Amino acid sequence: MENPFTTRPEIKGTFGVVTSTHWIASAVGMSILERGGNAFDAAVATGFVLQIVEPHLNGPGGEVPILFWKQGEDEPQVLCGQGVAPAAATIEHFEGLGLRLVPGTGLLPAVVPGSFDAWMLLLRDHGTLDLETVLEPAIFYAREGFPLVRRAVQAIHAVEEFFPTEWPTSAQVWLPGGRRPTPDALFRTPAIGDTYRRICDEAKAAGGDRVAQIEAARHAFYRGFVAEAIDGFYRENALMDTSGRKHAGLLTGDDMAGWQASYERPVSYDYAGARVYKTGPWGQGPVFLQMLALLKGYDIAAMDPLGDDYVHLITECTKLAMADRDVFYGDPDFVEVPLDVLLSDEYNAERRRLIGREASLDIRPGALPGAEAGLAALLERAGCETPIGPGMGEPTFVDLPEVEGDTVHFDIIDRWGNVVCATPSGGWLQSSPVVPELGFPLSTRAQMFWLDRRLSSALAPGKRPRTTLSPTMVGRDGKPWLALGTPGGDQQDQWSSTVLLRHLHHRFNLQAAIDAPLFNTRHGPASFYPRARAPGELLIESRFPQQTLERLAARGHRLKIEGPWALGRVCAAGISGGMLHAGATPRFMQGYAIGR
């Protein structure tokens, strides 16, 4: 199919490409490549800068799943930077507080911040540059200032009255001089810059080579002054959260010291001549693979990529895969997740029979052990609490249409063929109070645990929450072909899969596939507090043909027509035809792809 008009060109080159959800981060990543660094060096620098320039969507106290493919290897690897629940975080503790869900904000839902260790391992094991070189851009922007994007200002607006009274340490950072910042004005977060500067200084003082200094930095964060500051703040304070009450935190320095990022093999699935790689079921990534297993039974290439058959089919496959996610997924170190069955041709052929011409309004997990009890738990718990106060769940913004986007994303390919695909998140400015000695808040990812033992994603000490963070990597003939991802919580694999299908089956280039109108369902329970669901609801951009919208409504989809450029922030980069390619979403006017 001929590529339609695009908002910007698909970037092409041979030296390197960087695409991310913020233009400054893309520029920094490219600058590292220009200085002789590889994709891993550039990824670390890009990841730290995104913490500064998109503070409403990720931060130093957050987490990150990373997929990376090293030149010459047969498949990518996963680097898990998802921290775990504290040792004191038990279901009994939360039940003793009278809670039926883990709050969406505050101190209680904190997990060990995982992104720092993941970036350090990536730099230590696969990078070439020293710690200070890759941290210096983030330190510069934190100290000297960066243009605060409008959506970050709106996030601060939402908590403008809440911070001074309930989280005064956050007010000191995000309401300087007691005033809300203005869009696009220069904004500084010098305490974060000072924290990273101190880590660099301590690392250099420890002496030794670049590896020794990186190890010293890891120690400073997880056993040194960073961990000490977090331990003290969480022990000494009880602060307001979405329950409408003040609660003390559970995270301790011992929790920090006892955790580290880890390498894993990815989960993968063969589809249409490509092999798609995702993280394990501690994230929602295998949902993407099961969607492909379901779609394998249809001629997607023959469908109109803007037609109702296409939207309906993908939506119904999503509902089935998400139902299995909600009932069966969890940290495989704690529970047995039947991925072999969930991704098998036989299982999905049976599941495919449930897809009809009408939209389903039911949650239908597969008939596997535990499904009935798990479904009962979902229906009992989803939306069972009413949140109190601002900042709940994934970031939302006042004075704007509701936005599905709770994180950032980037993809990088260097001239040697190394590829890095990452979706950093957590530690949002509105999610939890700032630790004053450090200048940043921590992840509230524990809100994704259920307080019900019937579910595989039930809370347990030392367990990873079943996150929505879901980078995607695709290979062909044992070599990397494509990396892509997007912010957006439960919508991440919905938007990314649509972009892949249009690129793979309809021959849209990366930018055209990203620019084409998007859609997603909110049918099942949300992964974010208060875990509400909207049966049959289908969000869809208004650029779809009117006939498509009318036919979808006639099929029983409960349409929520969004603005023409309202859904998704997909970025993608690939290798084909002897060249590197990249695209970035124009939505929200922040993402950018750079390359040559």
Side-chain angles (χ1 to χ4, degrees), residues 94-138:
F94 283 81
E95 288 177 340
L97 297 173
L99 299 172
R100 299 192 68 201
L101 296 172
V102 178
T105 65
L107 301 176
L108 264 182
V111 297
V112 174
S115 63
F116 187 86
D117 205 50
W119 295 132
M120 291 300 99
L121 289 188
L122 192 69
L123 182 66
R124 183 195 71 184
D125 298 340
H126 306 288
T128 62
L129 302 180
D130 62 82
L131 175 69
E132 188 167 31
T133 298
V134 298
L135 266 176
E136 190 55 47

Side-chain angles (χ1 to χ4, degrees), residues 347-576:
Y347 178 80
N348 286 290
E350 187 68 23
R351 297 283 277 155
R352 202 178 293 126
R353 295 171 60 184
L354 297 174
I355 300 173
R357 286 198 54 80
E358 301 297 315
S360 171
L361 300 182
D362 297 321
I363 299 177
R364 299 179 290 179
L368 299 176
E372 185 175 348
L375 178 59
L378 287 178
L379 296 177
E380 289 173 19
R381 297 275 178 164
C384 69
E385 291 185 356
T386 300
I388 298 173
M392 66 174 181
E394 58 184 325
T396 54
F397 309 87
V398 296
D399 299 338
L400 290 171
E402 190 169 356
V403 175
E404 297 299 331
D406 66 317
T407 181
V408 298
H409 182 83
F410 69 83
D411 308 293
I412 299 175
I413 309 176
D414 65 25
R415 63 186 184 271
W416 300 286
N418 299 304
V419 186
V420 181
C421 176
T423 309
S425 187
W428 315 307
L429 69 88
Q430 65 275 44
S431 66
S432 67
V434 164
V435 180
E437 298 94 333
L438 306 176
F440 59 80
L442 301 188
S443 169
T444 53
R445 194 61 60 171
Q447 67 184 285
M448 293 182 159
F449 287 114
W450 291 100
L451 299 179
D452 195 312
R453 295 172 186 82
R454 291 174 290 179
L455 289 159
S456 293
S457 53
L459 175 66
K463 188 177 183 181
R464 287 173 287 187
R466 196 279 299 148
T467 79
T468 54
L469 305 176
S470 194
T472 303
M473 199 167 282
V474 187
R476 276 183 162 172
D477 302 319
K479 296 180 180 179
W481 177 63
L482 183 64
L484 73 160
T486 177
D490 295 300
Q491 288 66 239
Q492 289 184 24
D493 287 305
Q494 300 185 55
W495 294 329
S496 293
S497 62
T498 299
V499 169
L500 175 63
L501 292 171
R502 287 171 174 163
H503 182 58
L504 189 61
H505 289 298
H506 301 106
R507 301 294 188 262
F508 283 17
N509 70 32
L510 292 182
Q511 192 60 49
I514 290 168
D515 281 357
L518 291 171
F519 58 94
N520 65 267
T521 180
R522 281 182 174 168
H523 176 72
S527 296
F528 292 89
Y529 184 90
R531 316 301 297 268
R533 59 182 295 253
E537 184 173 89
L538 178 62
L539 281 68
I540 189 164
E541 288 183 333
S542 62
R543 288 182 293 131
F544 273 91
Q546 183 62 30
Q547 184 181 63
T548 297
L549 300 177
E550 292 172 357
R551 288 178 174 177
L552 287 168
R555 288 183 175 210
H557 294 282
R558 296 171 177 175
L559 297 189
K560 185 178 180 184
I561 300 174
E562 299 290 318
W565 300 92
L567 302 177
R569 294 175 67 204
V570 179
C571 298
I575 307 174
S576 63

Side-chain angles (χ1 to χ4, degrees), residues 7-86:
T7 58
R8 57 191 71 178
E10 181 189 63
I11 299 299
K12 300 176 184 177
T14 57
F15 178 81
V17 291
V18 181
T19 177
S20 86
T21 50
H22 197 288
W23 71 92
I24 289 178
S26 296
V28 165
M30 194 67 195
S31 75
I32 296 293
L33 296 182
E34 297 283 3
R35 296 172 64 176
N38 62 22
F40 308 109
D41 298 311
V44 177
T46 300
F48 279 116
V49 166
L50 282 169
Q51 296 173 1
I52 306 302
V53 299
E54 292 198 89
H56 56 310
L57 302 176
N58 78 138
E63 55 268 320
V64 60
I66 304 168
L67 275 166
F68 68 94
W69 199 321
K70 201 164 188 177
Q71 194 280 328
E73 295 188 352
D74 294 333
E75 68 173 9
Q77 293 184 62
V78 173
L79 181 48
C80 176
Q82 176 56 62
V84 300

Side-chain angles (χ1 to χ4, degrees), residues 250-267:
L250 301 176
L251 188 66
T252 68
D254 287 341
D255 294 317
M256 299 273 290
W259 179 87
Q260 62 181 357
S262 58
Y263 291 104
E264 301 177 2
R265 288 196 66 187
V267 180

Side-chain angles (χ1 to χ4, degrees), residues 106-247:
L107 301 176
L108 264 182
V111 297
V112 174
S115 63
F116 187 86
D117 205 50
W119 295 132
M120 291 300 99
L121 289 188
L122 192 69
L123 182 66
R124 183 195 71 184
D125 298 340
H126 306 288
T128 62
L129 302 180
D130 62 82
L131 175 69
E132 188 167 31
T133 298
V134 298
L135 266 176
E136 190 55 47
I139 294 171
F140 171 83
Y141 284 110
R143 285 178 158 182
E144 302 301 322
F146 56 95
L148 194 62
V149 296
R150 183 172 298 273
R151 307 193 85 78
V153 172
Q154 295 293 349
I156 296 170
H157 184 183
V159 289
E160 187 174 8
E161 296 181 2
F162 178 82
F163 275 0
T165 57
E166 302 296 345
W167 297 356
T169 59
S170 293
Q172 292 168 11
V173 174
W174 305 110
L175 298 168
R179 294 186 300 274
R180 184 204 326 165
T182 56
D184 301 318
L186 208 61
F187 191 83
R188 296 175 177 83
T189 49
I192 299 176
D194 292 346
T195 295
Y196 281 146
R197 179 74 265 162
R198 181 175 171 183
I199 288 174
C200 286
D201 291 344
E202 290 194 7
K204 285 196 295 184
D209 59 11
R210 62 179 294 276
V211 170
Q213 292 190 18
I214 292 168
E215 289 300 312
R218 296 176 70 200
H219 185 277
F221 198 98
Y222 290 95
R223 293 176 173 81
F225 79 95
V226 174
E228 291 169 2
I230 291 170
D231 183 278
F233 187 73
Y234 272 66
R235 286 182 188 277
E236 296 165 8
N237 291 278
L239 296 170
M240 187 67 68
D241 58 41
T242 48
S243 70
R245 290 180 284 140
K246 295 182 178 182
H247 291 114

